[in-house]
Amino acid sequence: MLGADQAVVLLQHGGLDSLTGKTGLAMLRHRRGPVVAVIDPHHAGASLEAVTGIHRSVPVVGDLQAALAFGPEVAVVGLAPSGGRLPDPVRADALAALRAGLSLASGLHTRLGDDRELRAACQPGQWIWDLRCEPAGLQVAQARAAALPQRRVLALGTDMAVGKMSACLALQAAAEARGLASGFVGTGQAGILISGAGVALDAVRVDYAAGAVEAAVLRCAERLPADGLVLVEGQGSLCHPGSSASLPLLRGSQATALLLVHRAGQATIDRLPQVPLPPLADLVQLSEALAAIARPAGAGPAPRVRALALNTARLTAPDAQRAIAEAEQALQLVCADPLRGGAETLLQALVEVS
């Protein structure tokens, strides 16, 4: 529903330097369309790059009234607070945005369209998009994506928030530079807001989760030629005790190749240090074993992990190079940090055999 060319203001209250703002930070890094202002009273007047390290020139202002001078068309909630509830200061600016004639987009669990005051403030021709909703007309998955001619790459992470979406978007950019037609299937709120389409997997009942992924992959493939590439954003992790997202993604996408995504040096689940991560080689084998089942007869070779996207954001450049070389040697896989060094080598490894 969010158009690629629509001017966005991000409601980022307190989230420019916090993990709670990861949705808006992802949009600042990856959205190609205009982001004309960021609202964060904690950093009003500061340089966006100085606060976030993101190389994008966007003014940071204190409230919606100040943001209106930059001509926004859509206000986007850039926060992912614990419990998914809309904080009062953000709600105040969301209400002001609607009253000023803007549309409103949100990926929170709290549905803003169900708020009577917000709904009443929404002006004719404008909209409130609660993207974290279960799509209508879902079916149980039937492995239909296995019949697609397009190659399908699924990102699987060793943990939450290790860079699965960023890796897929970097691969899409590399494919575009190569002249390879590609599509991105967003499966979380940031990915959907950036691409304008997809399925919010955590809003779908478990019986229909694989079917929802399948439907999204089929829709994406419809827009691509037979030799195109479908990039499916991963969610959660097989390694996380609270995550069940990987299996629906494997079943629904019927991937032809897998991309493993890992943060360099991470040995445990980030927020559950008592839960160790398995050796990457073991995780490669497990991922391939799971991807090899629930496939139709004649679907072709089972997907393999063909590359490792290594998140080296916490390392110096020399340490990052060493970590990449060590991972390549240990796994005998192509390895790169797609944000630091580009995704061309990863793309080559994923498409030449898939």
Side-chain angles (χ1 to χ4, degrees):
M1 186 173 286
L2 176 59
D5 296 326
Q6 288 186 293
V8 163
V9 55
L10 291 172
L11 309 186
Q12 201 70 12
H13 302 58
L16 273 184
D17 57 357
S18 165
L19 279 176
T20 62
K22 64 179 183 178
T23 299
L25 293 173
M27 292 193 73
L28 286 165
R29 287 190 181 96
H30 300 294
R31 186 174 196 264
R32 298 185 182 184
V35 178
V36 298
V38 174
I39 299 174
D40 188 342
H42 296 77
H43 298 287
S47 160
L48 178 73
E49 184 172 350
V51 176
T52 66
I54 297 171
H55 304 298
R56 190 165 188 163
S57 180
V58 182
V60 181
V61 299
D63 56 25
L64 191 282
Q65 187 61 40
L68 291 177
F70 301 98
E73 300 170 272
V74 181
V76 175
V77 177
L79 301 177
S82 177
R85 297 184 180 277
L86 188 68
D88 288 341
V90 185
R91 185 184 181 280
D93 273 334
L95 181 60
L98 291 169
R99 287 174 173 167
L102 279 64
S103 294
L104 180 64
S106 168
L108 299 180
H109 286 293
T110 301
R111 296 184 181 180
L112 306 192
D114 293 340
D115 184 307
R116 292 183 180 180
E117 188 175 19
L118 293 177
R119 191 169 62 246
C122 188
Q123 299 186 20
Q126 306 307 114
W127 40 262
I128 298 175
W129 181 25
D130 286 304
L131 61 92
R132 218 174 199 153
C133 296
E134 184 177 86
L138 289 178
Q139 300 179 18
V140 174
Q142 302 171 42
R144 291 181 294 165
L148 292 171
Q150 293 86 359
R151 290 160 290 190
R152 302 170 302 283
V153 171
L154 170 64
L156 292 174
T158 56
D159 195 1
M160 315 285 194
V162 291
K164 299 179 286 291
M165 180 197 71
S166 294
C168 284
L169 291 172
L171 284 168
Q172 187 178 31
E176 184 177 286
R178 181 189 284 203
L180 173 61
S182 64
F184 169 78
V185 178
T187 57
Q189 58 173 316
I192 295 170
L193 285 165
I194 291 164
S195 65
V199 57
L201 188 56
D202 64 0
V204 179
R205 289 167 290 173
V206 66
D207 284 353
Y208 296 102
V213 173
E214 180 178 87
V217 169
L218 293 174
R219 286 194 301 272
C220 181
E222 285 178 355
R223 303 188 294 270
L224 298 174
D227 63 350
L229 176 66
V230 178
L231 297 159
V232 183
E233 178 190 6
Q235 292 295 324
S237 171
L238 290 168
C239 307
H240 197 294
S243 173
S244 59
S246 298
L247 282 179
L249 288 160
L250 284 164
R251 302 292 181 256
S253 68
Q254 294 289 309
T256 57
L258 304 174
L259 173 69
L260 188 62
V261 185
H262 176 63
R263 180 179 289 109
Q266 185 172 332
T268 67
I269 294 296
D270 194 43
R271 298 188 182 184
L272 296 172
Q274 71 274 24
V275 179
L277 293 178
L280 291 183
D282 291 354
L283 187 55
V284 167
Q285 293 181 2
L286 174 62
S287 300
E288 292 178 346
L290 290 172
I293 60 176
R295 291 165 47 82
R304 305 287 301 276
V305 175
R306 296 295 181 181
L308 172 69
L310 194 64
N311 181 339
T312 65
R314 298 177 181 176
L315 303 182
T316 65
D319 287 344
Q321 291 179 346
R322 280 191 289 272
I324 290 169
E326 290 170 1
E328 283 187 331
Q329 179 66 28
L331 297 176
Q332 294 298 294
L333 289 173
V334 170
C335 175
D337 184 330
L339 296 189
R340 207 165 194 165
E344 292 78 11
T345 58
L346 297 177
L347 179 67
Q348 182 65 27
L350 290 162
V351 302
E352 67 182 3
V353 293
S354 61

